[in-house]
Amino acid sequence: MPTALIVLAAGQGSRMRSDRPKVLHAVAHAPLLAHALAAGAALEPERTVIVAGHGGDAVEAAARHMGENLVVVRQDSQDGTAHAVAQARSALAGFEGDAIVLYGDTPFIRPETLAAMQSARRDGADVVVLGFEAAEPGRYGRLVANGDRLERIVEAKDATEAELAIGLCNSGVVAADAGLLFDLIDQVGNDNAAGEYYLTDIVGLARAARLSARVVTCDEAETMGVNTRADLAAAEAAFQARARAEAMENGATLTAPETVQFAHDTHLGRDVVVEPHVVFGPGVTVESGATIRAFSHLEGCHVSDGCIIGPYARLRPGAELDRAVRVGNFVEVKAAQVHEGAKINHLSYVGDAEVGPRANIGAGTITCNYDGVFKHRTEIGAEAFIGSNTALVAPVRVGVGAMTGSGSVVTTDVPDGDLALGRAKQVNKDGLGARLMAKLRAAKTKKKGG
């Protein structure tokens, strides 16, 4: 049966104390909304509708980068969750299939949980609600159920003492036939203290119409909502704990797991070793057998098997490292292809470049890639040897097996096998060093005496 997602993302999030829409705050370098959409994407939805409100233009702009077949509609007035879902009606015109309502500020619903809700629908339930056993039920709505048969949802403020004792709580996530969902929403009223239209009312309406309602349960951690900065920090911590556990289960070694930070899309191969205090930004793949040493930062890069990175290395977007490359301490690589066995071991910057197989880049080497307006490329051939403290002024090519002398400024191409020296001739002035030092010390003594 085709599936559509309705993702509610209209809340202002006033408790975040932010001008940014709540759903665009990030966990693991991705907006909360992107996490919610990623869970739903596993169901291969035919349509996805995002209901935006506060900061709708920003939400719509961000959504363009989050997937295909996304439609953003607006909820101009915040009149409750049922009213928000109703805004998706026109975007789902002609759609025949199930609709699943998700929340853009609830990032950790697992695809397996949504699949279980789909299964309940296939087994004949007209309305399916996701519930969880809360450690502290508090303000959550309670699910009054008989086994997995859901009778009604009771808001905490309206619950009796017996109902408040129920630990099974409402997540707000709902699945139903799309047509039925909108028919039930049409019957929802706003005769309540807040004057809002609540999506939870559809369960009572369905039962009154002799339709079936079932509850599917998940772990409470999946339903974590983000409403404050503290919630955002807790969500980040929860994501990181899960990502570290998954990395180790998949065969990576983290020598101090609690110090390693992952992005939402970090991929580590088997037998990768990650030392303490490594940060992975978005878009990083590290293949099997590589070692990422302490205090390194990687983003938008690909590290092949057998590479050793760091300590204190930085790989920026576009860094492509073939197997057995060495990138050492205080080295930065950006938009560069570094071929097999090349070494950039110390205190260097290699940007907008290609480094040939088994080339050796000496300490303090920089590729001068920016002229103030344009970026230019540097090419370093196979088995080239770049002397320490060389400045390669792009565009420039150092040929296969060529060398540069230490301290050179290389501004023209170096043919294969040649040695380039681009520095001023050294001149020694007899005794001048000692005389100058004596003069400086005398000036210092005179200043103190004055």
Side-chain angles (χ1 to χ4, degrees):
M1 182 178 296
T3 299
L5 302 179
I6 302 172
V7 184
L8 304 189
Q12 182 173 356
S14 56
R15 285 186 285 166
M16 295 291 284
R17 301 290 191 269
S18 175
D19 295 328
R20 181 186 305 169
K22 179 170 64 170
V23 297
L24 297 187
H25 285 266
V27 166
H29 299 279
L32 296 170
L33 178 59
H35 288 276
L37 290 171
L43 303 181
E44 298 182 351
E46 186 174 298
R47 302 189 198 181
T48 298
V49 183
I50 299 169
V51 182
H54 174 72
D57 290 343
V59 171
E60 187 165 0
R64 295 193 193 105
H65 304 286
M66 294 183 188
E68 299 178 354
N69 301 320
L70 298 181
V71 177
V72 179
V73 298
R74 302 298 179 94
Q75 184 189 23
D76 295 324
S77 58
Q78 310 297 298
D79 293 329
T81 49
H83 178 259
V85 174
Q87 308 313 302
R89 187 195 304 265
S90 60
L92 293 180
F95 173 78
E96 294 184 0
D98 281 355
I100 298 181
V101 178
L102 299 175
Y103 295 81
D105 60 358
T106 305
F108 297 139
I109 303 291
R110 296 187 308 138
E112 295 86 347
T113 297
L114 299 179
M117 297 181 71
Q118 277 190 319
S119 180
R121 279 280 299 125
R122 287 195 297 268
D123 290 342
D126 294 301
V127 176
V128 181
V129 173
L130 181 63
F132 63 98
E133 290 287 344
E136 298 179 6
R139 59 181 177 79
Y140 292 116
R142 306 304 203 270
L143 300 183
V144 181
N146 182 6
D148 66 352
R149 188 177 69 185
L150 183 59
E151 300 294 339
R152 64 187 185 280
I153 302 176
V154 181
E155 297 299 328
K157 64 181 181 298
D158 300 322
T160 65
E161 186 173 343
E163 289 167 340
L164 286 174
I166 296 172
L168 184 61
C169 295
N170 177 38
S171 72
V173 177
V174 172
D177 173 81
L180 173 63
L181 177 64
F182 291 121
D183 287 345
L184 292 172
I185 284 174
D186 286 340
Q187 302 172 53
V188 172
N190 66 342
D191 186 14
N192 52 60
E196 294 186 349
Y197 299 88
Y198 292 127
L199 186 62
T200 51
D201 289 351
I202 69 171
V203 172
L205 292 167
R207 298 293 294 142
R210 300 184 180 277
L211 298 173
S212 62
R214 280 184 57 186
V215 58
V216 168
T217 59
C218 68
D219 188 86
E220 183 176 6
E222 291 187 50
T223 69
M224 178 189 295
V226 176
N227 295 297
T228 66
R229 301 283 183 166
D231 291 342
L232 190 67
E236 183 72 42
F239 177 92
Q240 295 299 334
R242 186 175 69 185
R244 293 163 187 153
E246 288 178 356
M248 290 186 286
E249 287 171 6
N250 291 330
T253 294
L254 310 183
T255 59
E258 69 281 1
T259 69
V260 177
Q261 295 293 113
F262 286 87
H264 64 101
D265 58 354
T266 304
H267 176 78
L268 303 183
R270 295 179 66 176
D271 297 316
V272 167
V273 175
V274 182
E275 293 184 358
H277 300 287
V278 170
V279 175
F280 294 101
V284 176
T285 295
V286 181
E287 295 189 12
S288 299
T291 297
I292 313 299
R293 302 190 63 190
F295 294 98
S296 295
H297 188 289
L298 291 76
E299 179 178 358
C301 62
H302 175 259
V303 178
S304 296
D305 57 291
C307 290
I308 300 176
I309 308 301
Y312 295 97
R314 185 180 182 197
L315 300 184
R316 290 173 57 195
E320 291 281 342
L321 277 54
D322 289 349
R323 67 178 309 278
V325 164
R326 297 283 296 270
V327 173
N329 49 289
F330 303 103
V331 171
E332 179 178 344
V333 180
K334 167 252 177 189
Q337 175 75 55
V338 184
H339 290 281
E340 181 175 353
K343 297 179 181 179
I344 316 171
N345 275 330
H346 318 281
L347 303 161
S348 296
Y349 169 70
V350 176
D352 296 283
E354 181 167 3
V355 179
R358 298 172 301 284
N360 189 92
I361 310 299
T365 295
I366 60 171
T367 58
C368 306
N369 56 330
Y370 184 50
D371 64 9
V373 178
F374 298 106
K375 295 289 182 71
H376 303 279
R377 289 188 64 78
T378 297
E379 296 182 23
I380 299 171
E383 300 182 353
F385 187 93
I386 308 301
S388 297
N389 201 34
T390 294
L392 299 168
V393 182
V396 72
R397 178 183 182 274
V398 178
V400 174
M403 302 177 68
T404 68
S406 296
S408 293
V409 177
V410 178
T411 58
T412 60
D413 290 352
V414 183
D416 295 352
D418 281 11
L419 168 64
L421 296 173
R423 60 193 182 205
K425 182 178 178 181
Q426 180 174 320
V427 177
N428 296 334
K429 301 292 186 179
D430 293 345
L432 181 58
R435 293 196 301 274
L436 180 59
M437 187 59 68
K439 182 178 180 180
L440 291 172
R441 286 172 178 159
K444 183 178 181 181
T445 301
K446 182 178 180 180
K447 185 176 181 180
K448 284 183 177 179

